[in-house]
């Protein structure tokens, strides 16, 4: 990836918007919508990928189709100041964590967790709590998605091995 700043104009913005809406849209379809040839769209997409504006293309999958039927957000409170690097190491060890971020406020981090069921979620939570620097967690279970087409309603990563096995 190139480290120079990417020039980004209104046509680029329209192309990126079209790809975000449907990454399978053809260059010809995008070109017709923005007034460019398919070749010109491809050149722009290639440049946007090279400069790191576009970082990849993914499929959004309904989590329940992969066996993820339980979802929660977990606030993590640490003993002392846990560096983000250390938190990142911990969350990488838990494939059920779909997203993790440091946050402002009382909590040190917020985890988005997907699990097969409540029992599996409880197992994940206990594994997280075993980390020596984690003082406490507060969990909030997701009941439904009010914006079902949002990225948070789907996953862009495969379920870990055995996640779709029903007990």
């Amino acid at each position: 990836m190139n480290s120079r700043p990417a020039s980004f104009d209104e046509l680029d913005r329209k192309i990126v918007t079209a790809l975000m809406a449907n990454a399978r849209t053809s260059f010809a379809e995008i070109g017709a919508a923005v007034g460019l040839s398919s070749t010109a769209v491809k050149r722009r997409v290639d440049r946007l990928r090279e400069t790191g504006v576009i970082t990849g293309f993914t499929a959004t999958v309904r989590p329940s189709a992969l066996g993820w039927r339980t979802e929660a957000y977990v606030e993590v409170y640490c003993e002392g100041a846990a560096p983000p690097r250390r938190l990142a190491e911990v969350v990488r060890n838990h494939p059920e964590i779909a997203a993790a971020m440091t946050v402002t406020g009382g909590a040190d981090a917020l985890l988005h967790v997907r699990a097969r069921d409540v029992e599996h979620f409880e197992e994940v939570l206990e594994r997280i709590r075993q980390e020596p620097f984690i003082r406490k967690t507060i969990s909030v279970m997701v009941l439904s998605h009010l914006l079902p087409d949002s990225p948070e309603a789907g996953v862009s990563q495969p379920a870990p091995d055995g996640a779709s096995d029903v007990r």
Side-chain angles (χ1 to χ4, degrees):
M1 178 169 57
N2 195 331
S3 61
R4 67 184 157 89
S7 62
F8 194 80
D9 63 17
E10 190 57 33
L11 284 173
D12 291 333
R13 188 171 313 285
K14 289 177 180 178
I15 291 168
V16 168
T17 299
L19 289 171
M20 287 173 60
N22 180 359
R24 294 187 57 148
T25 304
S26 72
F27 294 149
E29 291 171 304
I30 294 170
V34 302
L36 292 174
S37 69
S38 59
T39 305
V41 171
K42 181 188 182 317
R43 276 196 304 268
R44 284 177 175 260
V45 169
D46 288 346
R47 178 180 47 78
L48 292 167
R49 290 183 72 194
E50 179 183 306
T51 58
V53 172
I54 295 175
T55 59
F57 300 90
T58 63
T60 302
V61 179
R62 188 175 49 256
S64 61
L66 299 174
W68 300 111
R69 302 199 186 290
T70 300
E71 179 178 11
Y73 286 87
V74 179
E75 291 181 348
V76 176
Y77 297 80
C78 299
E79 243 2 285
R85 183 181 69 253
R86 177 66 180 119
L87 285 167
E89 290 171 11
V90 169
V91 298
R92 280 191 205 100
N93 292 329
H94 302 281
E96 298 88 350
I97 298 175
M101 57 286 302
T102 56
V103 294
T104 62
D108 294 294
L110 182 66
L111 311 179
H112 182 191
V113 178
R114 294 191 184 272
R116 291 184 306 270
D117 51 32
V118 174
E119 182 181 8
H120 180 207
F121 171 72
E122 189 173 22
E123 292 169 12
V124 173
L125 193 57
E126 288 307 313
R127 279 189 273 134
I128 293 167
R129 287 177 176 161
Q130 286 177 359
E131 294 297 332
F133 63 87
I134 293 181
R135 181 172 47 91
K136 76 174 185 174
T137 62
I138 297 176
S139 304
V140 179
M141 302 296 287
V142 174
L143 299 177
S144 63
H145 284 271
L146 301 177
L147 301 173
D149 294 331
S150 68
E152 291 77 15
V155 295
S156 59
Q157 62 194 34
D161 293 339
S164 60
D165 298 343
V166 178
R167 291 184 190 182

